[in-house]
PDB file of all heavy atoms in Angstrom:
ATOM      1  N   HIS J 202     -14.546  -8.882  22.428  1.00  0.00           N
ATOM      2  CA  HIS J 202     -14.548  -9.982  21.464  1.00  0.00           C
ATOM      3  C   HIS J 202     -13.492 -11.018  21.827  1.00  0.00           C
ATOM      4  O   HIS J 202     -13.674 -12.199  21.593  1.00  0.00           O
ATOM      5  CB  HIS J 202     -14.302  -9.470  20.055  1.00  0.00           C
ATOM      6  CG  HIS J 202     -15.253  -8.388  19.635  1.00  0.00           C
ATOM      7  ND1 HIS J 202     -16.612  -8.569  19.635  1.00  0.00           N
ATOM      8  CD2 HIS J 202     -15.043  -7.127  19.223  1.00  0.00           C
ATOM      9  CE1 HIS J 202     -17.199  -7.449  19.224  1.00  0.00           C
ATOM     10  NE2 HIS J 202     -16.262  -6.561  18.953  1.00  0.00           N
ATOM     11  N   SER J 203     -12.367 -10.568  22.373  1.00  0.00           N
ATOM     12  CA  SER J 203     -11.312 -11.551  22.724  1.00  0.00           C
ATOM     13  C   SER J 203     -11.821 -12.464  23.809  1.00  0.00           C
ATOM     14  O   SER J 203     -11.633 -13.696  23.716  1.00  0.00           O
ATOM     15  CB  SER J 203     -10.023 -10.851  23.203  1.00  0.00           C
ATOM     16  OG  SER J 203      -9.451 -10.101  22.169  1.00  0.00           O
ATOM     17  N   GLU J 204     -12.402 -11.884  24.843  1.00  0.00           N
ATOM     18  CA  GLU J 204     -12.870 -12.680  25.967  1.00  0.00           C
ATOM     19  C   GLU J 204     -13.935 -13.717  25.463  1.00  0.00           C
ATOM     20  O   GLU J 204     -13.874 -14.885  25.783  1.00  0.00           O
ATOM     21  CB  GLU J 204     -13.536 -11.791  27.040  1.00  0.00           C
ATOM     22  CG  GLU J 204     -12.561 -10.809  27.734  1.00  0.00           C
ATOM     23  CD  GLU J 204     -12.453  -9.487  27.020  1.00  0.00           C
ATOM     24  OE1 GLU J 204     -12.264  -9.463  25.769  1.00  0.00           O
ATOM     25  OE2 GLU J 204     -12.555  -8.455  27.673  1.00  0.00           O
ATOM     26  N   ASN J 205     -14.889 -13.213  24.663  1.00  0.00           N
ATOM     27  CA  ASN J 205     -15.971 -14.096  24.172  1.00  0.00           C
ATOM     28  C   ASN J 205     -15.408 -15.228  23.317  1.00  0.00           C
ATOM     29  O   ASN J 205     -15.788 -16.381  23.452  1.00  0.00           O
ATOM     30  CB  ASN J 205     -16.966 -13.286  23.308  1.00  0.00           C
ATOM     31  CG  ASN J 205     -17.719 -12.243  24.119  1.00  0.00           C
ATOM     32  OD1 ASN J 205     -17.734 -12.303  25.332  1.00  0.00           O
ATOM     33  ND2 ASN J 205     -18.296 -11.266  23.425  1.00  0.00           N
ATOM     34  N   MET J 206     -14.476 -14.863  22.427  1.00  0.00           N
ATOM     35  CA  MET J 206     -13.989 -15.879  21.501  1.00  0.00           C
ATOM     36  C   MET J 206     -13.019 -16.836  22.181  1.00  0.00           C
ATOM     37  O   MET J 206     -12.979 -18.025  21.841  1.00  0.00           O
ATOM     38  CB  MET J 206     -13.353 -15.237  20.280  1.00  0.00           C
ATOM     39  CG  MET J 206     -13.440 -16.109  19.060  1.00  0.00           C
ATOM     40  SD  MET J 206     -12.572 -15.474  17.633  1.00  0.00           S
ATOM     41  CE  MET J 206     -13.616 -14.138  17.140  1.00  0.00           C
ATOM     42  N   LEU J 207     -12.279 -16.334  23.154  1.00  0.00           N
ATOM     43  CA  LEU J 207     -11.377 -17.265  23.875  1.00  0.00           C
ATOM     44  C   LEU J 207     -12.209 -18.345  24.554  1.00  0.00           C
ATOM     45  O   LEU J 207     -11.857 -19.535  24.531  1.00  0.00           O
ATOM     46  CB  LEU J 207     -10.531 -16.496  24.924  1.00  0.00           C
ATOM     47  CG  LEU J 207      -9.321 -15.762  24.347  1.00  0.00           C
ATOM     48  CD1 LEU J 207      -8.724 -14.844  25.370  1.00  0.00           C
ATOM     49  CD2 LEU J 207      -8.269 -16.782  23.856  1.00  0.00           C
ATOM     50  N   ARG J 208     -13.315 -17.956  25.151  1.00  0.00           N
ATOM     51  CA  ARG J 208     -14.190 -18.925  25.804  1.00  0.00           C
ATOM     52  C   ARG J 208     -14.709 -19.924  24.751  1.00  0.00           C
ATOM     53  O   ARG J 208     -14.762 -21.129  24.970  1.00  0.00           O
ATOM     54  CB  ARG J 208     -15.407 -18.242  26.443  1.00  0.00           C
ATOM     55  CG  ARG J 208     -15.101 -17.670  27.771  1.00  0.00           C
ATOM     56  CD  ARG J 208     -16.396 -17.369  28.507  1.00  0.00           C
ATOM     57  NE  ARG J 208     -16.156 -16.387  29.510  1.00  0.00           N
ATOM     58  CZ  ARG J 208     -16.447 -15.093  29.396  1.00  0.00           C
ATOM     59  NH1 ARG J 208     -17.065 -14.635  28.331  1.00  0.00           N
ATOM     60  NH2 ARG J 208     -16.169 -14.259  30.378  1.00  0.00           N
ATOM     61  N   HIS J 209     -15.112 -19.368  23.589  1.00  0.00           N
ATOM     62  CA  HIS J 209     -15.634 -20.208  22.509  1.00  0.00           C
ATOM     63  C   HIS J 209     -14.607 -21.261  22.062  1.00  0.00           C
ATOM     64  O   HIS J 209     -14.979 -22.349  21.643  1.00  0.00           O
ATOM     65  CB  HIS J 209     -15.981 -19.252  21.359  1.00  0.00           C
ATOM     66  CG  HIS J 209     -16.666 -19.862  20.191  1.00  0.00           C
ATOM     67  ND1 HIS J 209     -17.829 -20.595  20.284  1.00  0.00           N
ATOM     68  CD2 HIS J 209     -16.331 -19.883  18.874  1.00  0.00           C
ATOM     69  CE1 HIS J 209     -18.190 -21.020  19.096  1.00  0.00           C
ATOM     70  NE2 HIS J 209     -17.287 -20.601  18.200  1.00  0.00           N
ATOM     71  N   PHE J 210     -13.317 -20.929  22.173  1.00  0.00           N
ATOM     72  CA  PHE J 210     -12.247 -21.887  21.797  1.00  0.00           C
ATOM     73  C   PHE J 210     -11.800 -22.727  22.984  1.00  0.00           C
ATOM     74  O   PHE J 210     -10.811 -23.453  22.866  1.00  0.00           O
ATOM     75  CB  PHE J 210     -11.050 -21.137  21.195  1.00  0.00           C
ATOM     76  CG  PHE J 210     -11.210 -20.794  19.723  1.00  0.00           C
ATOM     77  CD1 PHE J 210     -11.983 -19.718  19.308  1.00  0.00           C
ATOM     78  CD2 PHE J 210     -10.604 -21.575  18.756  1.00  0.00           C
ATOM     79  CE1 PHE J 210     -12.134 -19.406  17.975  1.00  0.00           C
ATOM     80  CE2 PHE J 210     -10.752 -21.244  17.399  1.00  0.00           C
ATOM     81  CZ  PHE J 210     -11.512 -20.166  17.032  1.00  0.00           C
ATOM     82  N   GLY J 211     -12.510 -22.576  24.133  1.00  0.00           N
ATOM     83  CA  GLY J 211     -12.230 -23.516  25.233  1.00  0.00           C
ATOM     84  C   GLY J 211     -11.386 -22.971  26.352  1.00  0.00           C
ATOM     85  O   GLY J 211     -11.059 -23.691  27.290  1.00  0.00           O
ATOM     86  N   ALA J 212     -10.979 -21.686  26.300  1.00  0.00           N
ATOM     87  CA  ALA J 212     -10.195 -21.115  27.404  1.00  0.00           C
ATOM     88  C   ALA J 212     -11.093 -20.736  28.565  1.00  0.00           C
ATOM     89  O   ALA J 212     -12.303 -20.542  28.396  1.00  0.00           O
ATOM     90  CB  ALA J 212      -9.421 -19.892  26.931  1.00  0.00           C
ATOM     91  N   GLN J 213     -10.466 -20.680  29.751  1.00  0.00           N
ATOM     92  CA  GLN J 213     -11.257 -20.266  30.944  1.00  0.00           C
ATOM     93  C   GLN J 213     -10.975 -18.790  31.223  1.00  0.00           C
ATOM     94  O   GLN J 213      -9.854 -18.377  31.502  1.00  0.00           O
ATOM     95  CB  GLN J 213     -10.814 -21.120  32.116  1.00  0.00           C
ATOM     96  CG  GLN J 213     -11.738 -21.069  33.295  1.00  0.00           C
ATOM     97  CD  GLN J 213     -11.054 -21.666  34.528  1.00  0.00           C
ATOM     98  OE1 GLN J 213     -10.497 -20.942  35.331  1.00  0.00           O
ATOM     99  NE2 GLN J 213     -11.112 -22.980  34.654  1.00  0.00           N
ATOM    100  N   VAL J 214     -12.029 -17.970  31.011  1.00  0.00           N
ATOM    101  CA  VAL J 214     -11.890 -16.532  31.197  1.00  0.00           C
ATOM    102  C   VAL J 214     -12.986 -16.060  32.138  1.00  0.00           C
ATOM    103  O   VAL J 214     -14.159 -16.375  31.906  1.00  0.00           O
ATOM    104  CB  VAL J 214     -12.098 -15.780  29.841  1.00  0.00           C
ATOM    105  CG1 VAL J 214     -11.876 -14.276  29.990  1.00  0.00           C
ATOM    106  CG2 VAL J 214     -11.176 -16.323  28.763  1.00  0.00           C
ATOM    107  N   THR J 215     -12.625 -15.371  33.185  1.00  0.00           N
ATOM    108  CA  THR J 215     -13.667 -14.846  34.074  1.00  0.00           C
ATOM    109  C   THR J 215     -13.587 -13.313  34.068  1.00  0.00           C
ATOM    110  O   THR J 215     -12.478 -12.729  34.015  1.00  0.00           O
ATOM    111  CB  THR J 215     -13.543 -15.347  35.514  1.00  0.00           C
ATOM    112  OG1 THR J 215     -12.203 -15.085  35.949  1.00  0.00           O
ATOM    113  CG2 THR J 215     -13.821 -16.818  35.636  1.00  0.00           C
ATOM    114  N   VAL J 216     -14.758 -12.702  34.071  1.00  0.00           N
ATOM    115  CA  VAL J 216     -14.806 -11.239  34.008  1.00  0.00           C
ATOM    116  C   VAL J 216     -15.632 -10.772  35.220  1.00  0.00           C
ATOM    117  O   VAL J 216     -16.758 -11.246  35.413  1.00  0.00           O
ATOM    118  CB  VAL J 216     -15.477 -10.775  32.704  1.00  0.00           C
ATOM    119  CG1 VAL J 216     -15.551  -9.256  32.659  1.00  0.00           C
ATOM    120  CG2 VAL J 216     -14.748 -11.310  31.485  1.00  0.00           C
ATOM    121  N   THR J 217     -15.072  -9.831  35.974  1.00  0.00           N
ATOM    122  CA  THR J 217     -15.821  -9.270  37.090  1.00  0.00           C
ATOM    123  C   THR J 217     -15.789  -7.746  36.999  1.00  0.00           C
ATOM    124  O   THR J 217     -14.884  -7.156  36.394  1.00  0.00           O
ATOM    125  CB  THR J 217     -15.229  -9.678  38.465  1.00  0.00           C
ATOM    126  OG1 THR J 217     -13.823  -9.500  38.431  1.00  0.00           O
ATOM    127  CG2 THR J 217     -15.514 -11.150  38.754  1.00  0.00           C
ATOM    128  N   GLN J 218     -16.831  -7.140  37.541  1.00  0.00           N
ATOM    129  CA  GLN J 218     -16.919  -5.669  37.572  1.00  0.00           C
ATOM    130  C   GLN J 218     -15.821  -5.161  38.504  1.00  0.00           C
ATOM    131  O   GLN J 218     -15.606  -5.732  39.582  1.00  0.00           O
ATOM    132  CB  GLN J 218     -18.298  -5.318  38.120  1.00  0.00           C
ATOM    133  CG  GLN J 218     -18.871  -4.022  37.659  1.00  0.00           C
ATOM    134  CD  GLN J 218     -19.024  -3.941  36.150  1.00  0.00           C
ATOM    135  OE1 GLN J 218     -19.394  -4.967  35.528  1.00  0.00           O
ATOM    136  NE2 GLN J 218     -18.778  -2.796  35.575  1.00  0.00           N
ATOM    137  N   ALA J 219     -15.144  -4.066  38.119  1.00  0.00           N
ATOM    138  CA  ALA J 219     -14.140  -3.448  38.999  1.00  0.00           C
ATOM    139  C   ALA J 219     -14.300  -1.937  38.877  1.00  0.00           C
ATOM    140  O   ALA J 219     -13.820  -1.331  37.908  1.00  0.00           O
ATOM    141  CB  ALA J 219     -12.726  -3.891  38.588  1.00  0.00           C
ATOM    142  N   GLY J 220     -14.979  -1.334  39.811  1.00  0.00           N
ATOM    143  CA  GLY J 220     -15.246   0.123  39.730  1.00  0.00           C
ATOM    144  C   GLY J 220     -16.050   0.395  38.485  1.00  0.00           C
ATOM    145  O   GLY J 220     -17.053  -0.280  38.221  1.00  0.00           O
ATOM    146  N   THR J 221     -15.579   1.370  37.684  1.00  0.00           N
ATOM    147  CA  THR J 221     -16.273   1.682  36.439  1.00  0.00           C
ATOM    148  C   THR J 221     -15.865   0.709  35.319  1.00  0.00           C
ATOM    149  O   THR J 221     -16.434   0.732  34.243  1.00  0.00           O
ATOM    150  CB  THR J 221     -15.936   3.099  35.960  1.00  0.00           C
ATOM    151  OG1 THR J 221     -14.500   3.188  35.859  1.00  0.00           O
ATOM    152  CG2 THR J 221     -16.472   4.162  36.894  1.00  0.00           C
ATOM    153  N   GLY J 222     -14.858  -0.099  35.604  1.00  0.00           N
ATOM    154  CA  GLY J 222     -14.348  -0.979  34.547  1.00  0.00           C
ATOM    155  C   GLY J 222     -14.515  -2.463  34.832  1.00  0.00           C
ATOM    156  O   GLY J 222     -15.511  -2.867  35.468  1.00  0.00           O
ATOM    157  N   ARG J 223     -13.569  -3.244  34.363  1.00  0.00           N
ATOM    158  CA  ARG J 223     -13.667  -4.703  34.492  1.00  0.00           C
ATOM    159  C   ARG J 223     -12.328  -5.312  34.827  1.00  0.00           C
ATOM    160  O   ARG J 223     -11.277  -4.759  34.493  1.00  0.00           O
ATOM    161  CB  ARG J 223     -14.122  -5.305  33.182  1.00  0.00           C
ATOM    162  CG  ARG J 223     -15.563  -4.962  32.854  1.00  0.00           C
ATOM    163  CD  ARG J 223     -15.964  -5.545  31.556  1.00  0.00           C
ATOM    164  NE  ARG J 223     -17.400  -5.377  31.392  1.00  0.00           N
ATOM    165  CZ  ARG J 223     -18.114  -5.886  30.373  1.00  0.00           C
ATOM    166  NH1 ARG J 223     -17.519  -6.555  29.420  1.00  0.00           N
ATOM    167  NH2 ARG J 223     -19.400  -5.654  30.307  1.00  0.00           N
ATOM    168  N   HIS J 224     -12.406  -6.463  35.480  1.00  0.00           N
ATOM    169  CA  HIS J 224     -11.204  -7.240  35.772  1.00  0.00           C
ATOM    170  C   HIS J 224     -11.350  -8.580  35.017  1.00  0.00           C
ATOM    171  O   HIS J 224     -12.353  -9.252  35.140  1.00  0.00           O
ATOM    172  CB  HIS J 224     -11.174  -7.481  37.298  1.00  0.00           C
ATOM    173  CG  HIS J 224      -9.923  -8.207  37.707  1.00  0.00           C
ATOM    174  ND1 HIS J 224      -8.820  -7.570  38.211  1.00  0.00           N
ATOM    175  CD2 HIS J 224      -9.635  -9.518  37.717  1.00  0.00           C
ATOM    176  CE1 HIS J 224      -7.884  -8.458  38.498  1.00  0.00           C
ATOM    177  NE2 HIS J 224      -8.352  -9.674  38.188  1.00  0.00           N
ATOM    178  N   ILE J 225     -10.348  -8.913  34.233  1.00  0.00           N
ATOM    179  CA  ILE J 225     -10.412 -10.126  33.410  1.00  0.00           C
ATOM    180  C   ILE J 225      -9.300 -11.072  33.870  1.00  0.00           C
ATOM    181  O   ILE J 225      -8.149 -10.645  34.036  1.00  0.00           O
ATOM    182  CB  ILE J 225     -10.266  -9.783  31.924  1.00  0.00           C
ATOM    183  CG1 ILE J 225     -11.396  -8.848  31.507  1.00  0.00           C
ATOM    184  CG2 ILE J 225     -10.358 -11.022  31.019  1.00  0.00           C
ATOM    185  CD1 ILE J 225     -10.927  -7.508  31.039  1.00  0.00           C
ATOM    186  N   ARG J 226      -9.631 -12.323  34.009  1.00  0.00           N
ATOM    187  CA  ARG J 226      -8.671 -13.325  34.488  1.00  0.00           C
ATOM    188  C   ARG J 226      -8.718 -14.529  33.517  1.00  0.00           C
ATOM    189  O   ARG J 226      -9.777 -15.063  33.238  1.00  0.00           O
ATOM    190  CB  ARG J 226      -9.123 -13.752  35.893  1.00  0.00           C
ATOM    191  CG  ARG J 226      -8.133 -14.563  36.654  1.00  0.00           C
ATOM    192  CD  ARG J 226      -8.580 -14.531  38.128  1.00  0.00           C
ATOM    193  NE  ARG J 226      -7.519 -15.038  38.989  1.00  0.00           N
ATOM    194  CZ  ARG J 226      -7.511 -16.253  39.502  1.00  0.00           C
ATOM    195  NH1 ARG J 226      -8.519 -17.086  39.278  1.00  0.00           N
ATOM    196  NH2 ARG J 226      -6.526 -16.652  40.287  1.00  0.00           N
ATOM    197  N   LEU J 227      -7.526 -14.836  33.020  1.00  0.00           N
ATOM    198  CA  LEU J 227      -7.415 -15.937  32.026  1.00  0.00           C
ATOM    199  C   LEU J 227      -6.520 -17.022  32.610  1.00  0.00           C
ATOM    200  O   LEU J 227      -5.431 -16.723  33.106  1.00  0.00           O
ATOM    201  CB  LEU J 227      -6.780 -15.398  30.739  1.00  0.00           C
ATOM    202  CG  LEU J 227      -6.315 -16.455  29.744  1.00  0.00           C
ATOM    203  CD1 LEU J 227      -7.455 -17.008  28.917  1.00  0.00           C
ATOM    204  CD2 LEU J 227      -5.258 -15.872  28.816  1.00  0.00           C
ATOM    205  N   ARG J 228      -6.968 -18.244  32.558  1.00  0.00           N
ATOM    206  CA  ARG J 228      -6.127 -19.348  32.980  1.00  0.00           C
ATOM    207  C   ARG J 228      -5.193 -19.731  31.845  1.00  0.00           C
ATOM    208  O   ARG J 228      -5.658 -20.020  30.723  1.00  0.00           O
ATOM    209  CB  ARG J 228      -7.037 -20.521  33.346  1.00  0.00           C
ATOM    210  CG  ARG J 228      -6.299 -21.639  33.977  1.00  0.00           C
ATOM    211  CD  ARG J 228      -7.239 -22.786  34.235  1.00  0.00           C
ATOM    212  NE  ARG J 228      -6.484 -23.913  34.647  1.00  0.00           N
ATOM    213  CZ  ARG J 228      -6.889 -24.803  35.506  1.00  0.00           C
ATOM    214  NH1 ARG J 228      -8.125 -24.705  36.018  1.00  0.00           N
ATOM    215  NH2 ARG J 228      -6.139 -25.801  35.867  1.00  0.00           N
ATOM    216  N   GLY J 229      -3.904 -19.722  32.105  1.00  0.00           N
ATOM    217  CA  GLY J 229      -2.908 -19.953  31.063  1.00  0.00           C
ATOM    218  C   GLY J 229      -2.866 -21.397  30.552  1.00  0.00           C
ATOM    219  O   GLY J 229      -3.361 -22.311  31.186  1.00  0.00           O
ATOM    220  N   GLN J 230      -2.279 -21.528  29.396  1.00  0.00           N
ATOM    221  CA  GLN J 230      -2.029 -22.834  28.742  1.00  0.00           C
ATOM    222  C   GLN J 230      -3.266 -23.719  28.659  1.00  0.00           C
ATOM    223  O   GLN J 230      -3.235 -24.939  29.015  1.00  0.00           O
ATOM    224  CB  GLN J 230      -0.858 -23.549  29.470  1.00  0.00           C
ATOM    225  CG  GLN J 230       0.394 -22.711  29.322  1.00  0.00           C
ATOM    226  CD  GLN J 230       1.584 -23.240  30.081  1.00  0.00           C
ATOM    227  OE1 GLN J 230       1.446 -23.738  31.196  1.00  0.00           O
ATOM    228  NE2 GLN J 230       2.772 -23.089  29.508  1.00  0.00           N
TER     229      GLN J 230
END
Side-chain angles (χ1 to χ4, degrees):
H202 307 302
S203 294
E204 295 89 311
N205 295 342
M206 207 185 288
L207 280 169
R208 279 196 202 102
H209 185 57
F210 277 78
Q213 195 194 94
V214 184
T215 52
V216 180
T217 48
Q218 208 61 36
T221 55
R223 291 179 171 185
H224 183 97
I225 300 118
R226 192 163 192 258
L227 166 81
R228 188 184 172 145
Q230 298 175 323

